[in-house]
Amino acid sequence: MALRDSLSGHPSSERLLAVTDSQKSDETTGNAPENQRPSAPSPAAFAARHPVPAPAAQPGAAAQAPVVAAPAAHTTPLEEAAQFARVEEDGHVFLIVNGEEFPVGQYPDATREEALGYFVRKYDDAVSQVILLEQRLAAKAPASDMHKTLKHLAAQVAERKMVGDVLALDARIAELQAGIKAAEAAERAETEAVRARELAAREAIVAEAEEIAAKDPAAIQWKTSSNRMNELFEAWKAAQKNGPRLGRSNEDALWKRFRSARTVFDRHRRAYFSQLDNENAEAKRAKEALIARAEALSSSTDWGNTAAEYRHLMDEWKASKRASRKDDDALWARFRAAQDQFFAARQAANEVIDEEFAANLVVKEALLKEAQEILPVTDLNAARKALQSIRDRWEEAGKVPRADMGRMEAGIRKVEEAVKAAEDEHWQRSNPETKARTNSALTQLEAAIASLREELAAAEKDGNAKKIANAREALEAREQWLETLRRSAQDFS
């Protein structure tokens, strides 16, 4: 119990003097009998006595390097450690490994237990570091960092300047070396996979930029393509800043391609917008000329001719090219203002005229009603006289408001057309040439009917039924024609 109590801590006031191999080269070592030196336990037995605690789960472990909590300090009981050491009265300590002794150092002016405990603590420190490395390996910490630490720790253990089961510790270190080596290989493979994915992503950025730059400048949608090119550039910068390194040769080659695509795109864009500015300026000048003509006509009182001229100006405006949106809207406002001024003045003038013509409308409404009473035309001469009288008074009545002009003109025109139709019909009936042609047709048809009657009588005499039927059919048709012509002749008479 006194031995455990003396080694339970690391007193800060201990007088320690570790003697190096060179300093103790002249010291003599004890030669304990071979059968009194305990054999070293196996690595499996060592691990069973000192299990590795499971690493604590850390938040965000998937997004960053694992954080492993430091294990509790390992402690080897002095009774167990005493199997692997020999301590002399003067504080010299020797490590026993498979029957072979290794001088560890000297802890002078102290008891044997204190000397042994000092060098056992060195062993416990090494075991604690091994446990921590095992935890980090299980938590998939970066293997390259662990490799350096393990290499330094293995060198310390190989010096045999500590007391404990160093063979089991060597085996445990060897297992760690193999595990770290495998982890390094896995990390290299993952790094290569990540680099391959990053290279493919960077290639995709460059390829899309080259595709955009290769489009026909006359057909490209510049706003959409410019936004997309900016997005690709931001993606490139983010990949450069946060992504894995691809190697100088790969990065330089990809950047040259990307920069070249952006340069071509920018050159095409500047050329396009320069040409567009020229076209907009030309369109602006052309429309300003149209505006000048429209403004010059805005005060005209030649309503008919000026309205026609404005229609021509509007056709020219529609056929002209567009200026920039800002300029085109302002130009259209000026052009429309000139038209509005003219048509507003014309509307005001028409309203005054319509007011003056309201009385004329009352007169013409009465004349139109009188004209409509002529219909239907039964007496052509009377209808002609009545219509002529109405026409004279119609002209004397003067103009009517614009809104009623169409209705009034259509009403009187309907009466005029009806009288004209009656005149045409009367002419057809009294036309001497038509009458002569009708009389001639009557004479010819009467002769044909007389001949057919003779043919029918002959057929009946012969008793030929077929000839009788044909003669009767032809005779009936001619007689119907004759009746029609006689009625027409009566009309002419």
Side-chain angles (χ1 to χ4, degrees):
M1 180 65 69
L3 182 60
R4 288 193 182 94
D5 293 341
S6 65
L7 299 177
S8 61
H10 294 272
S12 60
S13 60
E14 286 184 320
R15 295 180 295 115
L16 302 178
L17 178 61
V19 182
T20 62
D21 290 342
S22 61
Q23 291 172 323
K24 58 185 179 169
S25 59
D26 296 335
E27 299 181 2
T28 59
T29 61
N31 294 313
E34 190 73 27
N35 58 2
Q36 295 180 4
R37 297 171 185 170
S39 59
S42 67
F46 180 90
R49 288 198 302 271
H50 311 297
V52 179
Q58 299 294 327
Q64 57 186 8
V67 178
V68 181
H74 177 74
T75 302
T76 302
L78 289 184
E79 291 85 349
E80 179 182 325
Q83 302 176 52
F84 305 99
R86 182 175 64 82
V87 184
E88 295 182 344
E89 289 291 339
D90 59 357
H92 277 92
V93 179
F94 297 88
L95 174 66
I96 302 173
V97 181
N98 289 336
E100 182 181 359
E101 289 189 353
F102 296 88
V104 177
Q106 183 184 19
Y107 193 100
D109 300 328
T111 65
R112 288 186 177 183
E113 289 80 1
E114 291 174 338
L116 178 61
Y118 174 75
F119 291 105
V120 170
R121 285 195 295 273
K122 291 181 176 291
Y123 171 79
D124 287 341
D125 288 342
V127 173
S128 296
Q129 293 185 58
V130 168
I131 292 174
L132 179 59
L133 287 174
E134 289 171 339
Q135 288 182 348
R136 294 182 65 196
L137 181 62
K140 300 187 182 302
S144 58
D145 296 340
M146 293 188 292
H147 180 78
K148 296 176 183 178
T149 303
L150 184 62
K151 183 178 180 181
H152 177 68
L153 182 59
Q156 287 182 333
V157 175
E159 291 177 355
R160 304 305 193 222
K161 300 300 181 183
M162 58 187 68
V163 174
D165 192 351
V166 293
L167 291 180
L169 187 56
D170 285 341
R172 202 163 178 177
I173 289 173
E175 290 179 1
L176 264 175
Q177 287 174 333
I180 290 173
K181 185 177 181 181
E184 286 180 325
E187 287 179 1
R188 284 194 297 271
E190 176 60 21
T191 299
E192 290 301 319
V194 170
R195 288 184 62 190
R197 290 194 296 271
E198 180 64 20
L199 181 61
R202 208 80 66 86
E203 283 276 5
I205 292 174
V206 173
E208 186 174 353
E210 291 174 336
E211 181 182 0
I212 294 173
K215 290 182 178 179
D216 182 4
I220 194 170
Q221 297 292 330
W222 287 107
K223 182 177 180 180
T224 302
S225 297
S226 296
N227 290 339
R228 184 54 183 161
M229 190 66 83
N230 290 335
E231 291 172 357
L232 292 175
F233 185 51
E234 292 301 320
W236 179 276
K237 290 193 297 184
Q240 282 285 93
K241 180 178 179 181
N242 304 319
R245 302 277 74 85
L246 303 178
R248 189 174 185 84
S249 60
N250 284 335
E251 291 189 350
D252 287 350
L254 288 171
W255 169 245
K256 287 179 181 178
R257 288 173 56 194
F258 186 61
R259 182 180 60 191
S260 176
R262 292 180 69 230
T263 300
V264 171
F265 178 80
D266 288 340
R267 184 171 65 249
H268 288 170
R269 181 175 57 185
R270 286 194 299 270
Y272 171 82
F273 283 104
S274 176
Q275 180 181 356
L276 183 62
D277 289 343
N278 293 335
E279 292 176 355
N280 287 341
E282 182 180 351
K284 182 179 180 181
R285 288 191 295 271
K287 288 190 172 181
E288 284 177 339
L290 293 176
I291 291 171
R293 290 163 58 189
E295 290 174 342
L297 293 171
S298 62
S299 58
S300 173
T301 57
D302 185 2
W303 309 122
N305 292 332
T306 304
E309 184 62 25
Y310 270 121
R311 286 194 294 272
H312 296 154
L313 286 175
M314 179 60 75
D315 292 339
E316 292 184 44
W317 184 278
K318 292 179 179 178
S320 62
K321 294 182 179 179
R322 288 182 58 86
S324 66
R325 175 172 296 181
K326 179 180 178 181
D327 289 338
D328 213 61
D329 291 344
L331 292 168
W332 168 249
R334 290 174 55 195
F335 183 72
R336 185 61 182 268
Q339 291 188 88
D340 290 345
Q341 180 180 342
F342 167 77
F343 286 108
R346 187 183 70 167
Q347 178 66 23
N350 288 337
E351 289 175 357
V352 173
I353 293 172
D354 288 346
E355 187 176 354
E356 295 175 356
F357 293 162
N360 300 342
L361 177 62
V362 176
V363 175
K364 285 197 172 182
E365 289 278 11
L367 291 173
L368 179 59
K369 185 176 181 181
E370 182 181 344
Q372 290 172 344
E373 293 175 354
I374 297 174
L375 304 181
V377 178
T378 56
D379 186 341
L380 181 58
N381 291 330
R384 284 174 179 171
K385 291 179 181 180
L387 180 59
Q388 184 60 47
S389 174
I390 293 171
R391 280 175 176 170
D392 294 339
R393 286 176 286 159
W394 187 276
E395 295 297 330
E396 292 175 359
K399 296 182 179 180
V400 298
R402 292 174 60 85
D404 299 294
M405 289 178 61
R407 177 175 63 86
M408 299 304 295
E409 291 296 330
I412 195 66
R413 189 181 304 112
K414 182 177 180 181
V415 176
E416 292 174 344
E417 289 174 353
V419 174
K420 178 68 167 58
E423 290 176 342
D424 292 342
E425 183 179 359
H426 175 72
W427 168 251
Q428 290 294 333
R429 291 176 178 177
S430 60
N431 188 348
E433 294 181 0
T434 305
K435 187 175 182 179
R437 286 196 297 271
T438 301
N439 291 334
S440 175
L442 279 172
T443 302
Q444 294 177 6
L445 191 56
E446 288 173 349
I449 289 173
S451 176
L452 286 172
R453 283 176 179 168
E454 292 177 359
E455 290 179 5
L456 176 61
E460 289 175 346
K461 184 178 180 179
D462 294 339
N464 190 327
K466 184 176 180 180
K467 287 184 177 181
I468 293 171
N470 291 338
R472 283 179 178 175
E473 181 180 357
L475 180 60
E476 290 174 358
R478 298 303 190 280
E479 287 176 344
Q480 290 178 0
W481 294 349
L482 179 63
E483 182 64 23
T484 301
L485 287 176
R486 284 175 176 172
R487 285 198 297 270
S488 298
Q490 289 175 358
D491 291 337
F492 285 125
S493 63

